[in-house]
Amino acid sequence: MIQLEPINGFFKRERALQAIYPMRMLIVREGNGFLCMNSGDYPLLKGRMFFIPEEGLVRLDGEITSGYWLSFSSLLYAEFLLQHLDPQAKNLFLNLSFRDLDPQKSTKTYSLLDQLKREINIKKDMPFLAQYLSLFLGFTAGLDGYLTALTLDELQQVLRFRAILEQFYKQERSIQFYAEGMGMSTGKLNKFLDHVLGKSLTVLIKDRIMREAEELLLHSDYTVDEIAELLGFEQTTNFSTSFRRHKGVSVLQFSRLT
């Protein structure tokens, strides 16, 4: 579902780059020449990151001294879209676009890519990789402005928290549990979440549960009772009340609206 490989060498436009998955990115650490698409030729510049649409062959004409070639499935991309409702996120891979990274952001980006490569090599599970990719895209595409100000260590901590939350949000609600998973005291975790994400653990868990509830209501055949049980509610009435408070409409009204 995801492939990340270092890329370097001399390239001729007669030969297209191969990608296993439809969503593609080229990250140029050092290089010169052009990325060639049907829409035109785009200079390969130091620190330039390309978001490449699904359709169309990717050809290079020039030299890449150091860079990364990343491709991933639409399924992994879907997690990013669930976390980013901004139209910019949906349009990210519709047409070829690029961002030029400043030196500070470049250092963080390459460190994140190096770590992602290690996670892929040790075969981390797909939910974890989906969280990593979502954070990486949000950071590099400039859609999560708050991430830009974080240190690399803080970015890694955000990723770790997201991964733990993704795995346990249905059954674990205790701050103590997540603090132990993060290797922090409960007080430090509370401060970290407030500083970095601007939300408490309770709100973050509720947001994630309600997002899953929406997905199940829209894209599954589960009954409301079954969804309530899957999401850790002891009674369906508790689930229905929480959903109404979160969305402003009842479960039935939401189902009819969609």
Side-chain angles (χ1 to χ4, degrees):
M1 288 189 178
I2 186 168
Q3 181 186 35
L4 176 63
E5 298 296 341
I7 184 171
N8 60 77
F10 292 92
F11 298 87
K12 296 291 186 181
R13 71 171 67 208
E14 290 78 14
R15 184 176 180 179
L17 290 180
Q18 300 300 309
I20 296 177
Y21 303 107
M23 321 304 292
R24 300 165 295 176
M25 294 180 65
L26 176 67
I27 301 95
V28 182
R29 197 168 191 170
E30 294 280 354
N32 60 81
F34 296 92
L35 183 150
C36 309
M37 300 281 291
N38 291 338
S39 57
D41 295 350
Y42 303 85
L44 300 174
L45 300 179
K46 178 179 180 179
R48 178 161 288 186
M49 175 174 294
F50 293 91
F51 301 88
I52 303 170
E54 293 185 46
E55 296 183 1
L57 296 176
V58 180
R59 304 177 188 275
L60 300 179
D61 189 9
E63 179 186 11
I64 293 181
T65 307
S66 177
Y68 270 114
W69 178 236
L70 171 65
S71 68
F72 49 92
S73 67
S74 299
L75 185 61
L76 285 181
Y77 185 51
E79 176 61 27
F80 169 72
L81 293 179
L82 286 173
Q83 295 185 25
H84 299 80
L85 302 180
D86 189 315
Q88 285 184 292
K90 296 180 181 179
N91 296 334
L92 191 56
F93 288 93
L94 287 184
N95 300 293
L96 188 138
S97 62
F98 59 83
R99 289 179 63 86
D100 292 322
L101 307 175
D102 61 39
Q104 184 179 22
K105 196 167 184 179
S106 292
T107 299
K108 293 179 184 178
T109 297
Y110 302 135
S111 295
L112 288 173
L113 284 167
D114 290 340
Q115 181 62 35
L116 177 57
K117 181 63 176 173
R118 288 192 287 271
E119 303 294 358
I120 294 171
N121 288 341
I122 64 175
K123 302 186 186 304
K124 275 291 182 71
D125 58 40
M126 281 302 112
F128 177 87
L129 292 177
Q131 291 300 312
Y132 204 121
L133 185 64
S134 180
L135 179 141
F136 178 75
L137 291 176
F139 173 72
T140 56
L143 296 174
D144 290 333
Y146 72 94
L147 294 176
T148 304
L150 301 184
T151 65
L152 183 59
D153 180 63
E154 288 172 330
L155 284 169
Q156 296 289 3
Q157 292 282 48
V158 170
L159 172 65
R160 180 173 179 80
F161 173 76
R162 283 188 182 180
I164 296 172
L165 181 69
E166 188 66 21
Q167 185 174 357
F168 295 105
Y169 72 92
K170 294 178 183 178
Q171 64 264 34
E172 294 290 348
R173 312 289 166 86
S174 162
I175 183 70
Q176 184 67 40
F177 174 86
Y178 291 93
E180 289 177 358
M182 292 289 291
M184 299 178 177
S185 67
T186 56
K188 186 175 180 180
L189 179 57
N190 276 325
K191 289 180 180 178
F192 176 77
L193 295 178
D194 181 62
H195 166 65
V196 173
L197 300 177
K199 294 181 179 180
S200 68
L201 176 66
T202 300
V203 171
L204 290 165
I205 292 175
K206 184 178 291 186
D207 286 349
R208 183 62 186 91
I209 288 173
M210 290 299 112
R211 180 157 67 82
E212 185 69 9
E214 291 178 34
E215 284 297 300
L216 292 172
L217 288 168
L218 290 173
H219 304 298
S220 79
D221 295 324
Y222 289 119
T223 66
V224 175
D225 288 342
E226 289 170 333
I227 291 173
E229 183 177 356
L230 283 169
L231 296 179
F233 289 89
E234 294 184 0
Q235 297 182 359
T236 302
T237 53
N238 292 339
F239 166 65
S240 298
T241 299
S242 292
F243 189 88
R244 179 187 284 275
R245 287 175 178 170
H246 185 81
K247 291 294 294 182
V249 295
S250 69
V251 171
L252 181 60
Q253 289 171 321
F254 178 80
S255 300
R256 286 175 176 172
L257 286 172
T258 54

